[in-house]
Amino acid sequence: MMGHFNSIIAMASNAAKKAKLPIAAGSPTLKNDENAPEKTSSQSCKTTPAAANCTPPITFRTDCPDLKWLGIYFGIYIGVGTTSFYALKDHIRGKKTNDFIDSLYLCVVTMTTVGYGDLVPHSFVSQLICSIFITVGMCLVGIVVKIAASYLVVKQQMVLVNALHLSKKLGPIEALKEIENLKIDYTKCLISLIAMAVHFVIGIFVLVTVEGMDFTDAIYCACTTMTTVGFGDESFSSEFGRTFGIVWIATGTSCLGQLLLYIAEVYTDIETKKLVKSVLTSDIIAKKDLEAADNPENDQVYGAADFILYKLKDMGKIKQEDISVAMKDIDTGIKDLDVDHQSDSSQKK
């Protein structure tokens, strides 16, 4: 959406520059647009030279969170957790393979809320450390949710701002036409679904070949793991299986979270499109409203001119005093028209 609007705004800006017209302050423009060839079509971002630079405004890019720090937080979190569980390896019971791999495996299984239960703390100290680890993990999940929510909100705001810029340059009616031509993109959702399906098949293959599970048990284990339910009756038990499970569980839950984000983004795009249409429509006086204004009702509107004045007052563009002055001018104009009409009639007679 933002790329589409930015493309149209850039073309309108180029046209204004070539016509030596002023450009609205604050309008996002694209770099090196002076060298771009003139285009008259604004129906598709892909068919314009601005498509190559269809990027969100600088304000949007600076508002996007730096995911590098989130990765650092999770890296420290996993490192500290693995070290703690390794130090407390004698206080953890369950089927063990390799001390380091088991510690990292327990860390990932706990962090992703899968919680198989095949490795559990059984002393007071280990249970206390594990409780702290879980609490910190929930805080990090809250940060992830906050980042996703901020991304969706900022995107919605910038789409609305760009639509309003487009409305100022081309008019609300043309802007509404562009809104109608926008298509909701489901590509990322489909790609995420395909990635999850491939990830699911790989997991089943390893569970069958390495862990020696039946095909139905492998499907059952993969489903409970990918959805982070993790009943624990079926899990990874070999050293290679747990090594694979560390990577597979972490990437699987990430894919699931990404899919949920993309679904939320599609829903946000749909609602944003409705919001933008509602905002732009509020600035347009419909033809049927003007026709209805010719029929006086409730002693509030006495004609199309009155309707427009009161509409401007509702929008906050003018005050009541301005309406009084305008009505006097309208009455004076009507009287002058009547006088001219009478004089023309007398001359014809």
Side-chain angles (χ1 to χ4, degrees):
M1 277 189 179
M2 287 186 293
H4 186 84
F5 287 138
N6 290 334
S7 174
I8 299 169
I9 292 170
M11 286 185 294
S13 300
N14 289 339
K17 285 182 179 180
K18 292 180 180 179
K20 296 183 179 180
L21 295 176
I23 301 176
S27 301
T29 57
L30 299 175
K31 295 181 180 179
N32 302 324
D33 57 356
E34 293 84 2
N35 299 326
E38 182 178 1
K39 292 286 183 179
T40 57
S41 173
S42 61
Q43 296 299 321
S44 175
C45 181
K46 296 180 180 179
T47 59
T48 64
N53 294 316
C54 278
T55 57
I58 295 176
T59 53
F60 177 80
R61 290 197 296 268
T62 55
D63 287 338
C64 284
D66 191 355
L67 298 179
K68 177 182 68 176
W69 288 104
L70 183 62
I72 293 174
Y73 295 153
F74 270 102
I76 295 173
Y77 175 73
I78 294 174
V80 172
T82 303
T83 304
S84 300
F85 291 138
Y86 183 82
L88 297 171
K89 58 185 177 181
D90 295 332
H91 299 266
I92 295 174
R93 64 188 177 190
K95 185 177 180 180
K96 299 182 179 181
T97 57
N98 178 280
D99 291 338
F100 176 76
I101 292 176
D102 290 344
S103 300
L104 182 57
Y105 172 76
L106 177 59
C107 180
V108 171
V109 167
T110 304
M111 179 187 69
T112 56
T113 71
V114 173
Y116 284 131
D118 48 357
L119 292 174
V120 294
H122 66 90
S123 66
F124 172 76
V125 176
S126 60
Q127 290 175 350
L128 178 63
I129 295 298
C130 190
S131 299
I132 296 173
F133 181 77
I134 293 171
T135 303
V136 175
M138 290 298 98
C139 294
L140 288 178
V141 172
I143 295 176
V144 174
V145 174
K146 179 258 182 187
I147 290 175
S150 298
Y151 165 74
L152 295 176
V153 170
V154 171
K155 179 182 177 182
Q156 185 183 47
Q157 291 173 345
M158 293 312 301
V159 168
L160 179 58
V161 169
N162 290 344
L164 292 176
H165 279 306
L166 179 63
S167 177
K168 288 182 180 180
K169 290 184 175 296
L170 302 182
I173 296 179
E174 292 297 325
L176 278 175
K177 291 180 180 179
E178 296 297 334
I179 293 293
E180 293 293 340
N181 291 332
L182 285 177
K183 303 294 183 182
I184 304 299
D185 187 11
Y186 298 93
T187 305
K188 289 189 288 187
C189 286
L190 294 176
I191 293 175
S192 185
L193 281 173
I194 294 173
M196 283 196 66
V198 173
H199 192 272
F200 189 78
V201 171
I202 294 174
I204 293 175
F205 176 78
V206 173
L207 288 171
V208 171
T209 57
V210 176
E211 296 296 330
M213 294 185 186
D214 295 334
F215 183 71
T216 54
D217 291 339
I219 294 177
Y220 168 75
C221 181
C223 287
T224 56
T225 302
M226 292 283 286
T227 56
T228 72
V229 174
F231 288 124
D233 50 346
E234 298 289 349
S235 62
F236 297 94
S237 58
S238 66
E239 182 176 342
F240 178 81
R242 287 184 175 177
T243 303
F244 169 80
I246 291 170
V247 179
W248 188 72
I249 293 171
T251 54
T253 51
S254 298
C255 287
L256 179 62
Q258 195 79 5
L259 175 61
L260 295 178
L261 174 62
Y262 289 152
I263 293 174
E265 186 175 8
V266 168
Y267 176 76
T268 303
D269 288 344
I270 295 173
E271 294 300 318
T272 300
K273 187 175 180 180
K274 293 180 182 178
L275 175 63
V276 171
K277 290 172 64 177
S278 175
V279 171
L280 294 180
T281 305
S282 64
D283 292 335
I284 300 175
I285 300 176
K287 181 179 179 182
K288 62 180 181 180
D289 292 335
L290 290 174
E291 294 175 349
D294 290 332
N295 300 320
E297 292 182 3
N298 302 326
D299 295 331
Q300 292 181 349
V301 176
Y302 296 93
D306 309 67
F307 178 80
I308 295 174
L309 290 174
Y310 279 98
K311 197 75 174 178
L312 291 173
K313 180 188 173 185
D314 293 338
M315 295 168 61
K317 303 294 184 181
I318 60 176
K319 300 179 181 179
Q320 181 64 40
E321 296 78 10
D322 300 326
I323 294 180
S324 302
V325 174
M327 292 303 297
K328 290 180 181 179
D329 294 339
I330 291 175
D331 292 339
T332 302
I334 292 175
K335 291 179 181 179
D336 293 340
L337 289 175
D338 291 339
V339 171
D340 293 340
H341 180 70
Q342 291 177 359
S343 60
D344 292 340
S345 300
S346 60
Q347 289 177 0
K348 288 180 181 180
K349 290 180 180 180

